[in-house]
Amino acid sequence: MSETRSRSLGGLIIPLAVGGLVLGGYYVYWSQTAQRIQIHVAQALPALPRENVTVTGFPYRFEARITGLRVQTGTGFVFEASRFVAAASPFNLNLWALEGALEPQLKLPGGPLRALRATELKASLRLKEGQLARFSLTFQGLQAGTTDPSGSALGPRPWRTGAGALHLIADPKDTSRLAFALDLSVLELSAQPEGPAAILGNKIGHLRLTGPISQGQTLLRSTKAWAKAQGEFTIMAAQIDWGPLSFDAGTGRLQVTPEGHWQGEIRGQGALKPNGMAIPALSAPIEISIENGQAHLLGFSAAQVPKAFN
């Protein structure tokens, strides 16, 4: 009988011991990986105090929390948030998802820092060998800047958009090349177009741009380095509905000069739709050109494009 009891105890203790070893090993893996994540964030954001970065979520995931986040890229973008949270699975650290950002602010190249408000914002980042493999951003609404409730014109006017998506995907055969897709609906600009283009108004019903970006990984690090490497955005499909103008089947290219000015052209088919219906007699090929940062539409100066870098 004592032999039977010892076998029963052995059959219970051995699985418990194995389970304890597995859990202990997993805890060591999780703790060491959390420390590496903190180190990588500290290296990527050297101006951020190390105590502002914490990693929690044991045992189900890694949850990176950053307070006082400020990211400034070489392409001129600045993003700030008093608190930023991103999460990843313990078994796939190459895929991170945005969990939330408190009091976010955004600065586009050449523009002011604006408070950012988003509706149903979702973002994910997939890495491969330390480089971007895919970035996706979707939202149902986005506004940068705030409207003065008193109605005064103090400060820059906000720009806003309805539903939109931005995707960057690396070419599996050449990770230096990125595919780019931007899709926005009901984009309201912060200022009226210049010159004759003012007839279009400051609301764009729909905007879509797609195409590959050569030297795309370089562009993510620095627009100046991208310009020096002669990187180029090849536009495969451009579509825009802007006031009475409908522009479709657009193709072209965009580059940045050594001085930081955007330059290139987009050619497509344009049509005027004053009442939502195209007028055949007013349909014709249209070219939108950018030369030394000055945009031209139908040969007229339309707007000054902010410099890619100073």
Side-chain angles (χ1 to χ4, degrees):
M1 185 170 178
S2 60
E3 183 179 350
T4 303
R5 183 178 299 173
S6 63
R7 286 178 180 177
S8 299
L9 289 174
L12 180 63
I13 293 174
I14 292 175
L16 289 176
V18 172
L21 288 173
V22 171
L23 289 175
Y26 177 75
Y27 177 76
V28 171
Y29 156 77
W30 192 97
S31 300
Q32 292 180 345
T33 304
Q35 291 177 358
R36 287 201 299 270
I37 293 172
Q38 288 179 304
I39 292 172
H40 287 320
V41 173
Q43 291 174 342
L45 305 170
L48 187 72
R50 184 161 294 187
E51 61 270 18
N52 285 27
V53 182
T54 58
V55 180
T56 60
F58 179 83
Y60 303 108
R61 64 179 189 167
F62 291 103
E63 189 175 283
R65 297 174 176 264
I66 306 174
T67 57
L69 173 67
R70 189 177 195 274
V71 178
Q72 183 169 356
T73 71
T75 56
F77 288 88
V78 177
F79 177 79
E80 293 184 357
S82 59
R83 187 181 183 188
F84 182 87
V85 183
S89 164
F91 309 106
N92 188 4
L93 288 176
N94 287 322
L95 178 61
W96 287 84
L98 173 67
E99 292 282 303
L102 186 63
E103 298 177 341
Q105 296 189 89
L106 177 67
K107 178 182 182 294
L108 298 180
L113 190 66
R114 300 170 182 263
L116 189 65
R117 291 191 297 172
T119 303
E120 297 184 31
L121 177 67
K122 297 179 181 178
S124 63
L125 172 66
R126 185 183 295 274
L127 303 173
K128 183 178 180 181
E129 298 177 354
Q131 288 191 314
L132 182 143
R134 182 185 181 104
F135 172 76
S136 293
L137 176 72
T138 62
F139 48 84
Q140 290 302 312
L142 192 66
Q143 175 174 312
T146 55
T147 303
D148 187 353
S150 67
S152 65
L154 296 176
R157 290 183 55 190
W159 56 261
R160 59 178 62 86
T161 179
L166 169 64
H167 302 286
L168 290 172
I169 306 172
D171 186 338
K173 297 180 180 179
D174 182 0
T175 55
S176 68
R177 287 167 50 88
L178 296 178
F180 175 93
L182 173 67
D183 200 315
L184 298 176
S185 64
V186 195
L187 173 62
E188 185 174 340
L189 306 176
S190 59
Q192 287 283 121
E194 300 174 4
I199 192 175
L200 300 176
N202 69 328
K203 289 186 178 181
I204 298 175
H206 183 226
L207 172 67
R208 178 172 175 79
L209 294 173
T210 61
I213 307 173
S214 65
Q215 303 294 329
Q217 302 286 353
T218 303
L219 175 62
L220 297 177
R221 295 190 297 270
S222 167
T223 313
K224 185 178 291 187
W226 185 67
K228 187 176 181 179
Q230 297 183 331
E232 183 173 277
F233 175 26
T234 303
I235 300 171
M236 302 297 291
Q239 179 184 353
I240 182 169
D241 294 319
W242 191 350
L245 175 66
S246 176
F247 180 83
D248 202 358
T251 60
R253 63 177 185 85
L254 288 175
Q255 291 179 305
V256 173
T257 68
E259 296 74 31
H261 294 293
W262 286 97
Q263 191 151 300
E265 67 281 328
I266 306 174
R267 297 182 179 90
Q269 190 69 23
L272 290 179
K273 299 181 178 180
N275 299 310
M277 297 292 290
I279 302 175
L282 298 179
S283 299
I286 289 181
E287 177 178 302
I288 301 172
S289 63
I290 303 175
E291 186 174 353
N292 292 326
Q294 181 69 44
H296 301 272
L297 176 63
L298 298 174
F300 297 103
S301 295
Q304 184 69 37
V305 181
K307 293 182 67 175
F309 59 84
N310 295 315

